[in-house]
Amino acid sequence: MSVKHCHPAAERNKEPILQTLRNYIADSKNGVLLEISSGSGQHVTHIAPNFPKITFQPSEIEDSSLKSIAVYAAECPTKNIKPPVFIDVRTPISQWLNGTLEKASLDYMLNINMIHISEWICTEGLFRSCGELLKPSGYLFTYGPYANDDVIVPESNVEFDESLRMRNKSWGLRDIARQLQPLALKYNIVLIKTHDLPANNKLLVWQKQ
């Protein structure tokens, strides 16, 4: 039986995400992108062939997801996806990739559909690591549903938020203005653009100062 996972939502949103990233990822020069919480691997293997000069490093915490990503990555025609690695975003970066990641060494970081379905300490770890690992002017891209200024729209996202909190009280839609931007500023990261994407999700573009 194949270890490849295939999530319908990822199939639907991978192209809109790619088209938005085209505005920020420059393939005229070599670069490195670290994806935190790569899930099945569907996103990275859809995005990577469009930026053959960028090296993509997927990561996950779940063993079954790591196996799925590995299969997808091996099928990438441009061969610019590294084998997936285990990363627990809650831990210091000194524990990532056996301590081989250098500070200010990454051009891009990508995080899709993690912030709302993980405990807050994971979001803290994401922004802290971006503050350490991104080069000056480097980008962090986060995708998912969000609240903003204590408002969640539309009603389907309100219901989704309630269902998440019923499943795990530490989950839920995070507030861009009241939670994420103040956290990001602690690590010299600012929100520079919000893109509205299909299915009531957003792609937020953050930049290291």
Side-chain angles (χ1 to χ4, degrees):
M1 185 174 65
S2 172
V3 298
K4 284 174 71 174
H5 299 172
C6 185
H7 303 305
E11 285 300 302
R12 290 192 299 268
N13 64 38
K14 65 184 185 181
E15 181 63 19
I17 290 173
L18 167 63
Q19 293 305 324
T20 307
L21 294 181
R22 288 184 185 278
N23 297 305
Y24 303 96
I25 297 179
D27 196 40
S28 58
K29 60 180 180 178
N30 296 335
V32 179
L33 182 150
L34 171 64
E35 184 181 21
I36 299 295
S37 187
S38 299
S40 62
Q42 289 163 263
H43 290 113
V44 69
T45 51
H46 182 70
I47 296 167
N50 294 273
F51 305 101
K53 291 186 178 180
I54 304 297
T55 299
F56 288 77
Q57 176 62 74
S59 71
E60 251 297 342
I61 193 171
E62 297 179 349
D63 185 61
S64 64
S65 295
L66 286 165
K67 290 176 180 177
S68 177
I69 298 163
V71 177
Y72 277 105
E75 297 173 350
C76 177
T78 45
K79 304 301 180 186
N80 57 327
I81 305 176
K82 288 189 173 183
V85 293
F86 173 90
I87 286 181
D88 184 343
V89 76
R90 298 168 296 185
T91 61
I93 63 168
S94 59
Q95 298 180 25
W96 298 10
L97 279 75
N98 297 315
T100 59
L101 279 177
E102 297 181 5
K103 291 188 177 182
S105 63
L106 301 179
D107 301 278
Y108 313 99
M109 292 180 69
L110 174 65
N111 182 244
I112 296 172
N113 282 335
M114 180 200 81
I115 289 176
H116 62 285
I117 200 163
S118 60
E119 56 189 340
W120 178 246
I121 193 175
C122 295
T123 300
E124 291 177 322
L126 174 66
F127 282 94
R128 181 181 64 250
S129 63
C130 288
E132 296 180 87
L133 292 171
L134 284 177
K135 297 175 181 178
S137 299
Y139 290 110
L140 162 67
F141 309 104
T142 66
Y143 170 88
Y146 301 92
N148 197 26
D149 273 330
D150 288 332
V151 176
I152 298 177
V153 292
E155 183 62 26
S156 60
N157 274 358
V158 175
E159 294 171 356
F160 183 46
D161 179 61
E162 292 173 349
S163 69
L164 288 173
R165 295 180 189 277
M166 287 179 64
R167 289 168 59 189
N168 188 317
K169 63 181 181 180
S170 68
W171 295 359
L173 274 61
R174 310 302 183 186
D175 195 298
I176 297 171
R178 296 179 181 272
Q179 291 180 292
L180 299 182
Q181 287 183 281
L183 174 63
L185 285 174
K186 289 174 58 178
Y187 303 105
N188 295 318
I189 297 169
V190 297
L191 178 64
I192 62 168
K193 186 71 174 180
T194 298
H195 294 271
D196 292 319
L197 295 191
N200 303 312
N201 290 320
K202 299 179 185 296
L203 191 145
L204 308 183
V205 181
W206 309 83
Q207 191 167 36
K208 173 71 179 298
Q209 300 303 291

